[in-house]
Amino acid sequence: VAVYLALLTTSSVHLYRGAFPERRGGTNSLIYFGEIAKQQESEFLHARKSRSSDALVDDRLGQAWRNSSILCNKFDSLERAYRYMALSAIPWVLSTLSLALGSFR
């Protein structure tokens, strides 16, 4: 039962990480929603209009990289969660059988 609970707890931690991935980054970005939300609308509009085309391209490319990083971490966590959950079935079945067989004696 302890092994089952440990595997299930580990799975739950990875599910949490997958559901709520690290979202820091995008400092001074005019693309990343977290940075945009920190600004007043007028500040955002002014910053957007004053940024050069090359800087905006770099910002978009940086955001594409950051999104890729977030998604890779998210899917890695979800994969681990499901693997630990699948592994937890083994000790769960064994403990259930043990309890069931013990009650027939």
Side-chain angles (χ1 to χ4, degrees):
V1 174
V3 173
Y4 163 73
L5 291 174
L7 289 169
L8 191 62
T9 300
T10 303
S11 175
S12 297
V13 168
H14 286 290
L15 281 174
Y16 178 84
R17 287 181 182 165
F20 302 101
E22 178 61 53
R23 294 183 310 244
R24 282 186 278 168
T27 306
N28 297 322
S29 174
L30 295 177
I31 307 293
Y32 182 58
F33 71 94
E35 289 295 308
I36 292 171
K38 293 177 185 177
Q39 302 175 35
Q40 296 294 319
E41 181 181 7
S42 59
E43 293 172 328
F44 170 71
L45 292 173
H46 175 71
R48 168 58 183 89
K49 289 176 183 176
S50 64
R51 191 159 290 181
S52 72
S53 294
D54 286 342
L56 285 171
V57 168
D58 287 347
D59 196 0
R60 285 187 188 102
L61 293 172
Q63 187 58 42
W65 175 86
R66 184 65 185 128
N67 286 346
S68 298
S69 177
I70 289 169
L71 285 173
C72 281
N73 289 336
K74 179 182 186 82
F75 288 124
D76 287 347
S77 289
L78 293 176
E79 180 182 4
R80 285 186 203 106
Y82 291 122
R83 287 179 190 265
Y84 281 111
M85 192 179 300
L87 284 174
S88 75
I90 296 167
W92 178 78
V93 167
L94 292 175
S95 63
T96 303
L97 284 174
S98 175
L99 290 171
L101 293 175
S103 66
F104 288 117
R105 289 182 186 175

